[in-house]
Amino acid sequence: MTGTTTGEGIPTASARTATVARTVTDVLQPRNVLLAGMLGLGLAAAGDWTGLLWGFLGALCAGLIPAGYIEWERGRGTWGDRHVVDRTKRAPIFFVILGSIGAGSVVMVLGNAPTGILVAMLALWVMTIGLLAVNTVWKISVDSAVASASVSLLAVVHSPWWIAAYALTWAVCWSRVALGYHTVAQTVAGAGLGAATTVAYVFG
C-alpha cells in the first residue's frame, strides 16, 4: 500500500509505517513527555523527593490540564482528535497553556519551589508564546517542541547525558511527518524552538 497526502498536501505513510508512527506519537505525546520530564526536572532541581511534588505540579499545569481541555473540546465536537490539524483552531489551546503554566508558576514562587523547576516552567511559558506567534502564520509542530524542550531542560538541570534522549525527539519528529500532520521543516522548527528553552538558564 502506497502513501497518500493530507488535505494540506503533506505525504502520509504506508499502513505499516503509519501503525508504528501512530504508536510513537501516542506514547510520546506532550502530556506523557511532560509528566516524565517535569518529574525528572523537579527531582533534579530539589535533590530530594520533594522535587517530585513540584515536578508533578509542573506537569499538571504544562501538560495534563491542557490535554484535559483538548479532550473536553473533543467531547463537544470542536475538534476531531487531540492533534487539531487545522492551525487556525489552535489559538485557544495556547491560551489555556499560558494561563495554566502562569498559575502554576505563581504557586511555585509562593511555595519557594527549587529555582530549576521554576525556570523550566517560565521557559515553557515563553516557548508557548513562540508557538502561538508562529502558529498565526505557519503550522509549527507542538509535539516536536515539547519533546525537544523536555530533553534540553533535563540536560541543563540534571546531566548533559540527557542529550542522548534526543533520539526520542527525533522519533516524535519522524512520526509527525510520517502521519502527515507536519512537514519536516515544521518539526525541525518545533524542535529548534524547544531546544531554545535552555536559553532561560543563561539568565536564571
Side-chain angles (χ1 to χ4, degrees):
M1 177 179 177
T2 57
T4 57
T5 60
T6 65
E8 297 181 356
I10 302 172
T12 57
S14 66
R16 180 176 297 178
T17 300
T19 298
V20 176
R22 174 68 60 187
T23 300
V24 171
T25 204
D26 285 345
V27 171
L28 298 178
Q29 63 179 283
R31 68 181 180 188
N32 296 340
V33 170
L34 285 167
L35 180 58
M38 295 304 279
L39 287 174
L41 283 167
L43 186 62
D48 57 46
W49 69 268
T50 61
L52 293 175
L53 300 178
W54 291 117
F56 180 75
L57 175 61
L60 178 68
C61 295
L64 300 180
I65 289 177
Y69 168 70
I70 292 174
E71 291 301 317
W72 178 68
E73 289 287 15
R74 282 184 62 191
R76 297 174 64 224
T78 306
W79 304 310
D81 58 26
R82 77 165 183 87
H83 304 288
V84 193
V85 294
D86 184 351
R87 71 170 178 81
T88 63
K89 296 181 179 180
R90 289 181 164 188
I93 303 173
F94 291 121
F95 288 122
V96 167
I97 296 171
L98 289 172
S100 184
I101 292 179
S105 297
V106 170
V107 173
M108 288 184 178
V109 170
L110 295 177
N112 294 316
T115 300
I117 189 68
L118 178 58
V119 173
M121 284 286 279
L122 295 177
L124 291 174
W125 192 86
V126 172
M127 183 188 77
T128 304
I129 290 286
L131 290 170
L132 173 61
V134 173
N135 188 75
T136 61
V137 295
W138 192 55
K139 187 181 176 184
I140 190 169
S141 175
V142 175
D143 288 53
S144 300
V146 171
S148 178
S150 297
V151 172
S152 62
L153 289 171
L154 280 166
V156 171
V157 176
H158 187 242
S159 167
W161 285 104
W162 275 103
I163 293 297
Y166 257 105
L168 297 178
T169 300
W170 175 87
V172 171
C173 293
W174 168 81
S175 71
R176 305 304 288 174
V177 174
L179 291 170
Y181 292 132
H182 292 286
T183 63
V184 171
Q186 289 165 353
T187 60
V188 170
L193 182 58
T197 58
T198 57
V199 173
Y201 284 86
V202 175
F203 305 100

